[in-house]
Amino acid sequence: PLKEIPIKVIPKDEQQPFINLVDHILEINSAKQNQKTKAQLAELEKQIAHLDYDLYDLSNQERELVENFKSG
């Protein structure tokens, strides 16, 4: 169930890197997309994933499991 998913509560200053990346993604999404912007979006999403991994203190093995699951 949804209640079992751990949600981290972090101070506003620790939220800021996430906010900055999401703002950048929204900015790119509002513009006309091309191959360059798609690559930028992929990189920003990757950065958010790494922030998440750090936030939840995932080990290298756990990170690899998540990455493998995401890629199919």
Side-chain angles (χ1 to χ4, degrees):
L2 193 56
K3 288 186 213 178
E4 295 179 18
I5 297 174
I7 304 293
K8 292 273 188 162
V9 178
I10 58 175
K12 185 76 168 176
D13 62 317
E14 291 180 36
Q15 295 175 25
Q16 200 58 51
F18 292 92
I19 294 168
N20 293 343
L21 289 168
V22 170
D23 285 346
H24 199 170
I25 287 172
L26 293 172
E27 182 182 305
I28 291 172
N29 275 330
S30 68
K32 185 178 179 183
Q33 290 195 15
N34 56 39
Q35 286 302 100
K36 181 180 177 185
T37 57
K38 288 179 183 178
Q40 289 174 322
L41 287 172
E43 178 57 32
L44 292 169
E45 290 168 356
K46 184 177 177 181
Q47 289 177 34
I48 289 174
H50 287 278
L51 287 174
D52 286 335
Y53 301 158
D54 291 341
L55 179 64
Y56 285 92
D57 297 319
L58 296 186
S59 67
N60 288 337
Q61 184 179 10
E62 291 166 327
R63 292 171 190 234
E64 189 176 322
L65 285 171
V66 172
E67 289 296 323
N68 289 338
F69 181 80
K70 285 181 5 183
S71 63

